[in-house]
Amino acid sequence: MKLATLKGLSPDGELFVVSRDLTRAANAAHIAPTLQSAIERWSEVEGQLLELSSAVNDGTARGTRTLDLKDCLAPMPRAWQWLDGSAFEKHGELMQQAFNLPPIETDKPLMYQGLSDRFIGPYADVNLPSEEDGIDFEGEFGVITDAVPMGTSAEDARAHIRLIVQLNDWSLRAIAPAEMKTGFGWVQAKPACSMAPIAVTPDELGEAWQNARVHLPLKIEWNDKPFGHANGSEMAYGFDDLIAHAAHSRSLVAGTIIGSGTVSNEDYSSVGSSCISERRAIDMIEFGEVRTPFMSFGDRIRMEAQTLNGEPLFGPLDQVIVRN
């Protein structure tokens, strides 16, 4: 099942069920007015949403409309909680090697709590204050959970993954080091994230959903030039582990979004990277100097993961950086 949010009367938009090829959609407000409402009542509404999804796909749903993905908001325009992991070991290893950083001594997943009161839509311009802040993109996968009890194990956490999404976790790299040194976490260095237009149930990935990981490449183009197509399969910790980590000392509210961190692979020389910071680290390792600049106003970034058969899945993120 594929779900989207279009503009509605509230900032949370209005829930639609989308055809598998992303060309048609049917309003689902009579079942659940918003995606947040659906997640909170998932056991109650899932069957009705699935029936509507089947009808949309076989062409029998009433009131079906042609879907223009540019009309979509983020599937969840705002959330109660956004927790982002850093689950790809190669990314951390490259950063440590390039900039002589000590390894982080921990046997637990890395995770921070970020801005959740808004997620930027898939085609909306991204407003930022200054190029001097070191504007960077971070291509990620994420999951949306229902309510997760405190102390949930990784094994039990899998049953709480309701939807999978594709994200761009924007970062301002020039600000991040100073904020990290304070020990209080990021505020200015982490503006709102962007989200691809479609949220999908895990079954839509077929064999590409294994061990609570997305076994698909995330294709990234920067100013229409290929930048990377790293695969989400190489997470050191799966989304089940990330959920269990987050729920160790707190319950997670329905609608919690958890990110994978920058998708990164061992074979980075062939598949590229999912953020500029990693590419700059590779520059340092290979050339002894940084050769890749951060983003400028007017730059365009496009990200999209497709199924193993090359069919649309989350739809693309296609955005331009503009001065605020």
Side-chain angles (χ1 to χ4, degrees), residues 180-250:
M180 291 174 68
K181 289 179 181 179
T182 68
F184 277 80
W186 288 306
V187 176
Q188 294 181 348
K190 286 292 185 177
C193 299
S194 301
M195 197 181 297
I198 309 299
V200 307
T201 49
D203 60 287
E204 290 289 343
L205 275 67
E207 295 182 359
W209 178 247
Q210 298 181 38
N211 302 318
R213 293 162 170 84
V214 178
H215 290 241
L216 293 171
L218 178 55
K219 182 180 178 181
I220 298 176
E221 296 177 352
W222 180 11
N223 290 332
D224 301 319
K225 296 180 179 179
F227 189 85
H229 54 276
N231 196 292
S233 61
E234 293 186 24
M235 292 172 71
Y237 296 94
F239 283 109
D240 48 358
D241 298 307
L242 297 181
I243 293 168
H245 174 75
H248 173 75
S249 58
R250 60 168 118 173

Side-chain angles (χ1 to χ4, degrees), residues 166 217-220 302-306 312-317:
Q166 177 191 305
L218 178 55
K219 182 180 178 181
I220 298 176
R302 191 181 192 279
M303 301 181 178
E304 184 174 13
Q306 297 179 328
L313 191 57
F314 307 104
L317 268 168

Side-chain angles (χ1 to χ4, degrees), residues 84-96 109-110 138-142 212-216 218 230-239 242 259-266 274 278:
D84 195 19
S86 182
F88 292 89
E89 288 186 334
K90 194 58 186 181
H91 176 70
E93 290 172 3
L94 288 169
M95 302 301 289
Q96 291 161 14
L110 301 177
E138 292 191 54
E140 307 191 13
F141 296 109
R213 293 162 170 84
V214 178
H215 290 241
L216 293 171
L218 178 55
N231 196 292
S233 61
E234 293 186 24
M235 292 172 71
Y237 296 94
F239 283 109
L242 297 181
S260 65
T262 305
V263 179
S264 181
N265 290 173
E266 285 285 339
S274 302
E278 181 174 299

Side-chain angles (χ1 to χ4, degrees), residues 146-202:
D146 60 10
V148 182
M150 184 190 304
T152 294
S153 67
E155 181 179 0
D156 291 340
R158 295 189 183 194
H160 293 284
I161 297 172
R162 296 306 186 186
L163 296 167
I164 304 171
V165 293
Q166 177 191 305
L167 299 136
N168 184 350
D169 177 35
W170 293 101
S171 293
L172 301 179
R173 300 296 191 182
I175 299 174
E179 289 197 318
M180 291 174 68
K181 289 179 181 179
T182 68
F184 277 80
W186 288 306
V187 176
Q188 294 181 348
K190 286 292 185 177
C193 299
S194 301
M195 197 181 297
I198 309 299
V200 307
T201 49

Side-chain angles (χ1 to χ4, degrees), residues 22-313:
L22 309 190
T23 63
R24 304 181 312 283
N27 193 306
H30 61 289
I31 302 172
T34 65
L35 184 54
Q36 178 64 42
S37 173
I39 290 292
E40 290 174 349
R41 302 164 45 231
W42 193 259
S43 60
E44 176 187 340
V45 305
E46 181 184 16
Q48 298 174 70
L49 291 172
L50 285 170
E51 288 181 8
L52 181 56
S53 176
S54 295
V56 170
N57 280 304
D58 65 23
T60 61
R62 294 183 179 180
T64 301
R65 57 178 282 183
T66 299
L67 179 64
D68 185 343
L69 293 177
K70 293 182 179 179
D71 293 334
C72 292
L73 305 175
M76 191 165 278
R78 54 182 179 175
W80 289 111
Q81 186 164 224
W82 156 240
L83 300 169
D84 195 19
S86 182
F88 292 89
E89 288 186 334
K90 194 58 186 181
H91 176 70
E93 290 172 3
L94 288 169
M95 302 301 289
Q96 291 161 14
Q97 180 181 351
F99 301 108
N100 296 315
L101 301 172
I104 299 174
E105 300 294 341
T106 181
D107 58 355
K108 298 179 180 180
L110 301 177
M111 183 175 287
Y112 78 92
Q113 185 158 344
L115 176 67
S116 66
D117 64 7
R118 73 206 63 186
F119 286 86
I120 305 169
Y123 288 88
D125 289 343
V126 178
N127 293 274
L128 292 170
S130 173
E131 293 176 350
E132 300 304 313
D133 291 338
I135 302 169
D136 197 359
F137 51 83
E138 292 191 54
E140 307 191 13
F141 296 109
V143 297
I144 303 177
T145 74
D146 60 10
V148 182
M150 184 190 304
T152 294
S153 67
E155 181 179 0
D156 291 340
R158 295 189 183 194
H160 293 284
I161 297 172
R162 296 306 186 186
L163 296 167
I164 304 171
V165 293
Q166 177 191 305
L167 299 136
N168 184 350
D169 177 35
W170 293 101
S171 293
L172 301 179
R173 300 296 191 182
I175 299 174
E179 289 197 318
M180 291 174 68
K181 289 179 181 179
T182 68
F184 277 80
W186 288 306
V187 176
Q188 294 181 348
K190 286 292 185 177
C193 299
S194 301
M195 197 181 297
I198 309 299
V200 307
T201 49
D203 60 287
E204 290 289 343
L205 275 67
E207 295 182 359
W209 178 247
Q210 298 181 38
N211 302 318
R213 293 162 170 84
V214 178
H215 290 241
L216 293 171
L218 178 55
K219 182 180 178 181
I220 298 176
E221 296 177 352
W222 180 11
N223 290 332
D224 301 319
K225 296 180 179 179
F227 189 85
H229 54 276
N231 196 292
S233 61
E234 293 186 24
M235 292 172 71
Y237 296 94
F239 283 109
D240 48 358
D241 298 307
L242 297 181
I243 293 168
H245 174 75
H248 173 75
S249 58
R250 60 168 118 173
S251 298
L252 304 183
V253 67
T256 294
I257 306 173
I258 295 182
S260 65
T262 305
V263 179
S264 181
N265 290 173
E266 285 285 339
D267 189 20
Y268 61 85
S269 60
S270 296
V271 303
S273 300
S274 302
C275 72
I276 299 172
S277 185
E278 181 174 299
R279 179 65 61 83
R280 288 164 65 93
I282 295 168
D283 286 348
M284 287 292 295
I285 294 167
E286 294 185 351
F287 309 115
E289 62 180 6
V290 171
R291 297 186 177 182
T292 307
F294 288 117
M295 299 185 79
S296 300
F297 294 128
D299 280 4
R300 178 183 296 276
I301 188 72
R302 191 181 192 279
M303 301 181 178
E304 184 174 13
Q306 297 179 328
T307 69
L308 294 172
N309 296 324
E311 298 168 347
L313 191 57

